Amino acid sequence: MRRRTVTAGNLEELLQATAPAPASEQPAADPPAAAAPPRREEHGLRTEFEFELPRGYVDDDGTVHRHGTMRLATARDELRPQIDLRVKENPAYLSVVLLSQVITRLGGITDVHAGVVERMYATDVAFLQDFYRRVNSEGHTRAAVTCPHCEGAFEVDLSGGRLGES
């Protein structure tokens, strides 16, 4: 097995070389259905998870965005922040860059970038970090909890469903 050293300079080149061919170079397929909903499952695997932030992101216009969607992370998502200069200067910035790559929608915002995650409240970032860990390592958004009053154990869904909904 041959080892290859990857540096910040050649990672993009390596990623492009291993990326799938663009649609224009692939064999023609049936045209996609008009206005098809985004795919949430691929081959029976759930790849996107909805969530509701505890506080919500407030944009420049003062609009609060609480509902969002996070997709499963890929190996590329985990590797790319390692070469980011902001992460090299401050390793704590890794979660900001990583979350900005896997959050696909936040309210009406579809371009979620590091600047958006930077301006979120700390409680929302902590929620998203835990949510990321759950969907990428455990494959679900449920958590076992205990009632502090009656000490009864039950399960809650962290994806933001309303009480009484199934």
Side-chain angles (χ1 to χ4, degrees):
M1 181 177 201
R2 192 175 137 206
R3 285 193 150 172
R4 184 171 185 180
T5 304
V6 178
T7 63
N10 70 354
L11 181 60
E12 281 300 319
E13 177 184 310
L14 180 64
L15 292 173
Q16 288 175 354
T18 59
S24 61
E25 296 176 15
Q26 293 178 350
D30 293 334
R39 287 183 57 176
R40 298 180 151 223
E41 295 190 17
E42 294 177 8
H43 309 289
L45 174 67
R46 185 173 176 193
T47 59
E48 286 192 350
F49 299 85
E50 292 185 5
F51 61 83
E52 184 176 339
L53 295 175
R55 297 204 184 273
Y57 168 72
V58 182
D59 65 15
D60 294 334
D61 298 328
T63 306
V64 178
H65 304 274
R66 294 187 70 200
H67 300 283
T69 307
M70 180 184 292
R71 66 173 173 77
L72 286 176
T74 63
R76 178 182 275 183
D77 294 326
E78 297 268 342
L79 292 171
R80 189 168 265 164
Q82 300 297 330
I83 63 165
D84 192 299
L85 294 177
R86 299 168 293 187
V87 174
K88 287 185 177 190
E89 290 175 9
N90 181 3
Y93 201 75
L94 175 94
S95 64
V96 171
V97 175
L98 188 56
L99 288 172
S100 70
Q101 293 183 102
V102 297
I103 298 172
T104 57
R105 181 186 56 79
L106 184 58
I109 304 170
T110 55
D111 180 26
V112 180
H113 50 81
V116 171
V117 179
E118 282 177 352
R119 292 191 310 263
M120 287 183 180
Y121 294 110
T123 52
D124 289 337
V125 174
F127 169 83
L128 290 169
Q129 289 170 332
D130 184 55
F131 191 74
Y132 174 91
R133 182 186 56 79
R134 286 184 184 280
V135 299
N136 285 289
S137 63
E138 299 171 14
H140 61 80
T141 59
R142 295 178 308 278
V145 296
T146 304
C147 176
H149 300 291
C150 70
E151 297 185 14
F154 58 97
E155 205 172 68
V156 295
D157 188 350
L158 298 176
S159 65
R162 301 255 187 249
L163 288 175
E165 290 183 355
S166 51

